Amino acid sequence: DLSNSSEEVLKGIVAITGKTPIFEKLDLREKESVRSFFKKHNDVSGVIHFAASKAVGESVGNPLLYYENNIASLIYLLQELSKQDKANFIFSSSCTVYGQAEEMPITEDAPVQKPMSPYGNTKKIGEEIISDVAKVTSVNAILLRYFNPVGAHPSAEIGELPIGVPQNLVPFITQTGSGVRQELSVFGDDYPTPDGTCIRDYIHVVDLAKAHVIALQRLLNGKNLEKIETFNLGTGTGSSVLEVINSFEKMSGKKLPYKIVPRREGDITEAYANTDKANDVLGWKAQSTLDEAMASKWEPILSSPI
Ligand code: UD1
């Protein structure tokens, strides 16, 4: 619905792939629009559902926006998909469902915990809805639990373009590096980690995108072992906030102004993926390192119109 993006992105997709995608502007919260879409495009063989909101703070302030956008839309999509003889569905889930896992790295079998935000809850509930629906309908689904996606396509034709002040670490770093923001705040250096800052698993967005193609092919080729499969999408390596800053400075040649401030409420100490299942069963492995992700040509993206 372009509420958080721009039609300009289509040009980037054409430039990268040489293919012009069919674009339909619609709001998935409107049940009738979803129904008309599937009527018009009755040859849809699979759906990759990216159209959710993901800002944790915003979800705390406006939970109904998140429950409507992330849950109602999902229900309308599944209602249409379950009418098909065989439906294939890829869901963007999040490592947020693990909360602060007890053991690192985190396997897909780690217990799902009570989410810390309405956003996190929509991912947990979303997974549950899909599992319930898959049990009794034609829907086959793969739940992809993203760790921390970062970076941009190497062409700089498309990449993350947050509207307003970014809440996530890497967009804040790139905006600070380019002078849009004055200084980065590091949220706490008193965590029980080697340098005291939080540890996350930063995965290059192109690696993440490729996992979706492989996942959809898996369903289309009937290679899935169960009607619902879950995979972690991470690199398997944890990096601290200070390591991310160092990587940015090394790759950009710029000094990044930052200060240590108190912890951010709701942050967990560490989260990084065990990627064995994604590697061995899905047949996918992240290729890019943190340095490569931080070397993304983000400047043209920052200055592109939205
Ligand atoms: C956050 C969400 C997660 C969501 C993901 C979406 C929380 C608690 N979790 O993950 O559910 O799926 O975004 O991309 O919000 N940091 C700073 N300074 C900043 C920004 C971040 O020091 O200005 C630190 C944070 O304390 C954290 C790390 O950088 O340790 C990564 O933060 P962020 O990019 O917001 O991701 P998560 O919190 O891991």
Side-chain angles (χ1 to χ4, degrees):
D1 67 1
L2 300 178
S3 60
N4 202 14
S5 61
S6 150
E7 214 164 331
E8 291 292 308
V9 171
L10 288 171
K11 292 185 191 154
I13 293 173
V14 176
I16 292 167
T17 65
K19 291 183 190 155
T20 307
I22 299 170
F23 173 65
E24 298 273 4
K25 184 175 174 205
L26 65 98
D27 187 337
L28 290 177
R29 293 172 299 186
E30 291 165 10
K31 189 174 171 157
E32 281 312 313
S33 306
V34 181
R35 192 172 286 170
S36 319
F37 174 89
F38 279 92
K39 249 194 188 138
K40 184 172 168 194
H41 300 285
N42 58 8
D43 58 345
V44 171
S45 53
V47 167
I48 304 179
H49 176 34
F50 291 119
S53 305
K54 71 153 191 77
V56 173
E58 185 185 47
S59 79
V60 174
N62 195 348
L64 286 176
L65 176 75
Y66 274 67
Y67 288 116
E68 187 183 28
N69 197 35
N70 294 7
I71 303 293
S73 301
L74 175 65
I75 292 171
Y76 300 152
L77 272 174
L78 290 171
Q79 279 174 339
E80 293 308 311
L81 284 175
S82 53
K83 292 177 187 164
Q84 297 183 349
D85 292 339
K86 180 176 183 285
N88 300 309
F89 189 66
I90 309 293
F91 181 63
S92 305
S93 189
S94 167
C95 68
T96 195
V97 299
Y98 298 119
Q100 178 57 75
E102 273 178 23
E103 279 177 43
M104 292 296 137
I106 304 172
T107 67
E108 287 82 353
D109 295 331
V112 167
Q113 305 219 32
K114 185 177 159 39
M116 307 230 257
S117 68
Y119 157 74
N121 209 20
T122 66
K123 292 298 167 192
K124 176 174 177 282
I125 296 170
E127 288 197 357
E128 290 167 353
I129 291 173
I130 298 164
S131 303
D132 288 344
V133 171
K135 272 184 212 147
V136 293
T137 67
S138 58
V139 173
N140 285 261
I142 293 185
L143 313 175
L144 297 176
R145 291 180 176 160
Y146 302 2
F147 281 68
N148 289 55
V150 295
H153 190 269
S155 66
E157 291 285 351
I158 51 176
E160 187 170 21
L161 192 58
I163 295 169
V165 183
Q167 305 297 314
N168 295 115
L169 178 63
V170 173
F172 205 103
I173 288 180
T174 54
Q175 289 198 2
T176 308
S178 65
V180 179
R181 312 273 158 216
Q182 272 187 339
E183 190 176 47
L184 169 77
S185 295
V186 174
F187 299 138
D189 67 350
D190 56 353
Y191 285 94
T193 61
D195 67 21
T197 63
C198 294
I199 291 176
R200 298 287 184 274
D201 186 338
Y202 296 92
I203 170 169
H204 195 287
V205 69
V206 172
D207 279 328
L208 191 88
K210 287 179 179 167
H212 292 73
V213 178
I214 293 171
L216 186 56
Q217 277 165 348
R218 181 175 173 83
L219 292 182
L220 290 171
N221 297 332
K223 296 270 192 259
N224 49 315
L225 304 174
E226 290 163 88
K227 289 202 77 187
I228 288 277
E229 293 182 320
T230 305
F231 296 104
N232 284 340
L233 296 185
T235 64
T237 303
S239 305
S240 72
V241 177
L242 293 182
E243 283 170 337
V244 178
I245 293 172
N246 286 338
S247 168
F248 176 83
E249 290 185 333
K250 184 170 80 182
M251 302 315 289
S252 68
K254 289 175 195 257
K255 199 92 198 109
L256 195 82
Y258 73 87
K259 62 169 185 275
I260 308 288
V261 301
R263 293 180 178 196
R264 177 171 71 177
E265 205 188 321
D267 267 340
I268 54 168
T269 303
E270 61 178 347
Y272 56 96
N274 177 311
T275 57
D276 290 350
K277 190 177 173 200
N279 297 166
D280 301 341
V281 181
L282 186 61
W284 164 90
K285 194 173 180 13
Q287 304 293 334
S288 294
T289 61
L290 177 64
D291 281 353
E292 283 160 350
M294 297 309 289
S296 293
K297 285 185 256 154
W298 34 266
E299 270 175 323
I301 296 165
L302 288 176
S303 56
S304 72
I306 188 161

